[in-house]
Protein backbone atom coordinates (compact mmCIF):
# COMPACT_ATOMS: atom_id res chain seq x y z
CA UNK A 1 0.00 0.00 0.00
CA UNK A 2 1.30 3.40 -0.90
CA UNK A 3 1.11 6.44 1.31
CA UNK A 4 -2.20 8.27 1.36
CA UNK A 5 -0.55 11.68 1.21
CA UNK A 6 1.87 13.58 -0.96
CA UNK A 7 4.23 16.29 0.31
CA UNK A 8 5.21 18.90 -2.26
CA UNK A 9 8.78 20.10 -1.66
CA UNK A 10 9.59 21.23 -5.20
CA UNK A 11 6.67 23.09 -6.76
CA UNK A 12 6.75 23.82 -10.49
CA UNK A 13 7.91 27.41 -11.03
CA UNK A 14 5.95 28.79 -13.98
CA UNK A 15 8.16 30.88 -16.29
CA UNK A 16 6.90 34.48 -16.50
CA UNK A 17 8.04 37.64 -18.24
CA UNK A 18 6.28 40.15 -15.96
CA UNK A 19 8.19 39.65 -12.69
CA UNK A 20 5.45 37.58 -11.07
CA UNK A 21 6.47 34.49 -9.10
CA UNK A 22 4.17 31.50 -9.65
CA UNK A 23 4.90 28.27 -7.76
CA UNK A 24 2.36 25.58 -8.60
CA UNK A 25 2.24 23.08 -5.73
CA UNK A 26 -0.45 20.86 -7.23
CA UNK A 27 -1.93 21.04 -10.72
CA UNK A 28 -1.43 20.16 -14.35
CA UNK A 29 2.20 21.29 -14.60
CA UNK A 30 3.33 19.78 -11.29
CA UNK A 31 1.61 16.42 -10.90
CA UNK A 32 -0.85 16.20 -13.79
CA UNK A 33 -3.80 16.97 -11.52
CA UNK A 34 -6.71 18.26 -13.61
CA UNK A 35 -9.17 18.45 -10.68
CA UNK A 36 -7.56 21.31 -8.76
CA UNK A 37 -4.52 23.56 -8.92
CA UNK A 38 -2.96 25.26 -5.92
CA UNK A 39 -0.33 27.94 -6.46
CA UNK A 40 1.69 30.31 -4.29
CA UNK A 41 2.21 33.64 -6.03
CA UNK A 42 3.96 36.95 -5.50
CA UNK A 43 2.88 39.83 -7.74
CA UNK A 44 5.39 42.72 -7.82
CA UNK A 45 4.32 46.36 -7.38
CA UNK A 46 2.80 47.73 -10.59
CA UNK A 47 1.97 44.26 -11.97
CA UNK A 48 -1.18 43.57 -13.97
CA UNK A 49 -2.36 41.05 -16.52
CA UNK A 50 -4.93 41.17 -19.32
CA UNK A 51 -8.63 40.61 -18.74
CA UNK A 52 -9.64 36.95 -18.83
CA UNK A 53 -12.81 34.84 -18.61
CA UNK A 54 -11.71 31.50 -17.11
CA UNK A 55 -13.59 28.20 -17.35
CA UNK A 56 -12.73 27.48 -13.70
CA UNK A 57 -13.72 28.82 -10.27
CA UNK A 58 -10.82 30.67 -8.67
CA UNK A 59 -10.26 31.16 -4.95
CA UNK A 60 -7.66 33.70 -3.81
CA UNK A 61 -6.31 34.16 -0.27
CA UNK A 62 -4.12 37.21 0.37
CA UNK A 63 -1.11 36.55 2.63
CA UNK A 64 0.65 39.93 2.38
CA UNK A 65 -0.02 43.19 0.58
CA UNK A 66 -3.08 44.07 -1.50
CA UNK A 67 -4.48 42.82 -4.80
CA UNK A 68 -6.91 44.58 -7.11
CA UNK A 69 -9.64 42.72 -8.98
CA UNK A 70 -11.86 44.20 -11.69
CA UNK A 71 -14.81 41.80 -11.75
CA UNK A 72 -17.42 42.39 -14.47
CA UNK A 73 -16.45 46.09 -14.35
CA UNK A 74 -16.48 46.41 -10.53
CA UNK A 75 -13.21 47.26 -8.76
CA UNK A 76 -12.53 45.20 -5.60
CA UNK A 77 -9.37 45.43 -3.45
CA UNK A 78 -8.45 42.64 -1.04
CA UNK A 79 -5.92 42.96 1.78
CA UNK A 80 -3.90 40.55 3.89
CA UNK A 81 -6.12 37.95 5.58
CA UNK A 82 -9.00 38.34 3.12
CA UNK A 83 -10.15 35.89 0.47
CA UNK A 84 -12.51 35.74 -2.51
CA UNK A 85 -14.18 33.16 -4.73
CA UNK A 86 -14.74 34.16 -8.35
CA UNK A 87 -17.09 31.95 -10.33
CA UNK A 88 -16.09 30.50 -13.69
CA UNK A 89 -17.12 32.37 -16.84
CA UNK A 90 -16.66 35.74 -15.09
CA UNK A 91 -14.67 38.47 -16.88
CA UNK A 92 -11.89 39.56 -14.56
CA UNK A 93 -8.59 41.39 -14.42
CA UNK A 94 -5.99 40.92 -11.70
CA UNK A 95 -3.50 43.64 -10.76
CA UNK A 96 -1.21 45.00 -8.06
CA UNK A 97 -1.14 48.79 -8.66
CA UNK A 98 0.22 49.28 -5.14
CA UNK A 99 3.72 50.01 -3.81
CA UNK A 100 4.31 46.66 -2.05
CA UNK A 101 4.46 43.11 -3.43
CA UNK A 102 1.31 41.04 -3.02
CA UNK A 103 1.74 37.45 -1.83
CA UNK A 104 -1.22 35.13 -2.19
CA UNK A 105 -2.49 31.59 -2.72
CA UNK A 106 -4.68 30.81 -5.75
CA UNK A 107 -6.80 27.68 -6.03
CA UNK A 108 -8.52 26.82 -9.31
CA UNK A 109 -11.32 24.24 -9.74
CA UNK A 110 -10.86 22.50 -12.11
CA UNK A 111 -7.12 23.03 -12.43
CA UNK A 112 -5.71 26.08 -14.23
CA UNK A 113 -4.73 25.63 -17.86
CA UNK A 114 -3.64 28.21 -20.41
CA UNK A 115 -6.34 26.84 -22.76
CA UNK A 116 -9.16 27.44 -20.25
CA UNK A 117 -8.17 30.89 -18.90
CA UNK A 118 -9.13 32.81 -22.08
CA UNK A 119 -6.86 35.84 -21.65
CA UNK A 120 -7.70 38.73 -23.90
CA UNK A 121 -5.12 40.17 -26.27
CA UNK A 122 -3.75 43.56 -25.24
Amino acid sequence: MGKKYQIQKSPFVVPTTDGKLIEEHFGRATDGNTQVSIAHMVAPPGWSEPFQTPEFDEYTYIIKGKKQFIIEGEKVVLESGQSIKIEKNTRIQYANPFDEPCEYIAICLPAFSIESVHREEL
Side-chain angles (χ1 to χ4, degrees):
M1 276 295 274
K3 292 184 180 177
K4 302 220 178 194
Y5 62 88
Q6 176 185 349
I7 297 171
Q8 179 55 267
K9 294 181 182 173
S10 56
F12 178 78
V13 178
V14 178
T16 63
T17 57
D18 58 5
K20 184 179 175 189
L21 170 69
I22 306 174
E23 297 174 324
E24 185 186 86
H25 282 257
F26 296 97
R28 292 174 192 270
T30 306
D31 63 356
N33 188 332
T34 59
Q35 304 298 309
V36 62
S37 58
I38 301 174
H40 170 248
M41 307 203 198
V42 180
W47 168 85
S48 69
E49 61 185 22
F51 277 91
Q52 57 195 40
T53 307
E55 295 176 31
F56 45 79
D57 291 341
E58 186 159 359
Y59 299 79
T60 302
Y61 173 76
I62 309 298
I63 299 168
K64 290 183 194 162
K66 295 190 286 191
K67 186 177 179 189
Q68 176 180 288
F69 305 75
I70 298 177
I71 306 165
E72 302 280 334
E74 179 184 354
K75 187 185 291 186
V76 176
V77 175
L78 259 60
E79 300 183 10
S80 173
Q82 297 180 322
S83 59
I84 190 170
K85 175 194 177 188
I86 299 162
E87 294 180 6
K88 65 183 176 185
N89 303 317
T90 300
R91 185 171 185 261
I92 182 160
Q93 185 209 30
Y94 298 109
N96 177 11
F98 309 106
D99 295 333
E100 299 293 323
C102 178
E103 180 180 6
Y104 60 99
I105 300 289
I107 299 169
C108 300
L109 291 169
F112 176 92
S113 78
I114 202 69
E115 296 78 28
S116 64
V117 71
H118 302 295
R119 286 203 180 107
E120 297 175 15
E121 297 297 320
L122 288 176

